[in-house]
Amino acid sequence: MASPMRSLLTDPARYLQAFRLFLTNSTEHQCMREFVERQLPAVIASIGNGKSTINILSVGGGAGEIDLLILSKLQARYPGVTINNDVIEPSADQIFKYKERVAETSNLENVKFTWHEETAYEYESRMNAEKKAKKWDFIHMIQMLYYEKDVPATIRYFHSLLEAQAKLLIILVSETSGWEMLWKKYGSSFPLDDLCSYVSSADIKRILDSAGLKYQLYELPSHMDITSCFIEGNKDGELLLDFLTETCEFSKNAPPELKHQVMEDLRKPECSEKRDGKVLFNNNLSVIVIEP
């Protein structure tokens, strides 16, 4: 009998609901914000040297929260310089929220925004069809490589668009995170189809090493409170389980044995730690900064 499980990505509204809850329950954005505050200024220190215009490409920019932080650091480093900020984002809902955020943010007079409602693959295909290969001073891909069918090819393409002083910055889950254990063990049991693939910093390092590319690696400690996942019938817990397994209504649709095993493993030290009566899932991230 075919499994009733289907990918969470087949229900975009539920996916966004689960994703927002994940952001609320995790230190995902806090740890990224700390990285942008403390370490990004050194990363971007020479990307715009001598330039009157800096071209930034945000691949999978989402609702723009981290993008605008990055832009504020660029403005601080290169005051008065014109910044072209192009955003590739397939979700119309996320672009709408990004535009709202821009409208509410002051001091963006020297930043020109262009949104492309498409996937990274669609963008690449369109650029190739139009025979365009615009070069960029800074490209960032934050938590989006899971949705690319061919990760090495995606990295190769965007790396090829870097200017001489440019940087390509990737943020994704760390090989030290609970995601690594969960997905390596259960990836074949979850209904991912070809909508989402599991990649961590370990995979990216292998890709970059085999391509002979130079990069720096930063580790960002992060956690997500998944205590509600263990409360039977808790709506938030069910949504977070959907997010963890990329499965729509996992609690309801997973075979009982699979559900039991996943719930057991989520409590284990490889995935989570117990602190102050809470179960905190290890959501560690890696930042990889690649040279041209």
Side-chain angles (χ1 to χ4, degrees), residues 32-236:
M32 285 190 204
R33 278 197 288 268
E34 277 178 32
F35 172 82
V36 171
E37 286 294 335
R38 294 177 187 168
Q39 279 144 323
L40 188 71
V43 171
I44 59 168
S46 59
I47 62 167
N49 282 356
K51 300 194 169 200
S52 56
T53 303
I54 297 174
N55 295 314
I56 311 295
L57 183 61
S58 165
V59 187
E65 187 179 347
I66 303 299
D67 283 21
L68 291 185
L69 287 176
I70 289 171
L71 287 168
S72 71
K73 293 296 159 207
L74 279 155
Q75 288 176 303
R77 173 67 185 85
Y78 303 102
V81 169
T82 300
I83 298 172
N84 291 323
N85 188 70
D86 279 41
V87 182
I88 300 168
E89 171 52 57
S91 162
D93 182 72
Q94 292 286 77
I95 288 178
F96 179 75
K97 291 198 162 44
Y98 196 138
K99 288 179 176 175
E100 278 189 327
R101 195 166 256 132
V102 167
E104 291 159 6
T105 306
S106 54
N107 305 323
L108 290 173
E109 297 77 21
N110 63 327
V111 184
K112 181 172 170 286
F113 290 89
T114 309
W115 286 273
H116 307 277
E117 191 185 314
E118 57 194 347
T119 65
Y121 179 74
E122 287 163 349
Y123 175 85
E124 180 183 344
S125 305
R126 183 169 61 82
M127 287 296 137
N128 288 337
E130 293 172 9
K131 303 222 175 343
K132 287 181 183 166
K134 183 173 176 178
K135 294 283 188 179
W136 302 89
D137 300 303
F138 188 52
I139 301 175
H140 53 86
M141 311 164 101
I142 297 174
Q143 291 289 50
M144 56 66 66
L145 281 171
Y146 323 109
Y147 310 109
E148 293 306 308
K149 285 189 176 61
D150 188 338
V151 173
T154 300
I155 292 174
R156 218 172 20 248
Y157 172 71
F158 287 101
H159 183 264
S160 75
L161 305 181
L162 292 178
E163 289 279 16
Q165 298 291 319
K167 297 277 192 291
L168 168 59
L169 179 142
I170 293 171
I171 301 182
L172 81 171
V173 300
S174 167
E175 62 196 275
T176 67
S177 71
W179 297 102
E180 178 85 349
M181 181 274 199
L182 190 68
W183 285 64
K184 287 284 186 271
K185 184 168 178 181
Y186 295 107
S188 58
S189 307
F190 297 153
L192 284 178
D193 308 323
D194 56 356
L195 294 168
C196 177
S197 61
Y198 181 63
V199 283
S200 75
S201 59
D203 304 293
I204 305 304
K205 290 192 306 195
R206 272 197 297 276
I207 292 165
L208 299 178
D209 289 339
S210 68
L213 293 174
K214 279 169 57 180
Y215 59 91
Q216 277 98 37
L217 187 69
Y218 306 82
E219 287 290 307
L220 312 184
S222 174
H223 64 260
M224 162 171 50
D225 184 349
I226 60 167
T227 315
S228 58
C229 294
F230 302 96
I231 303 167
E232 197 62 44
N234 182 289
K235 288 282 171 270
D236 282 359

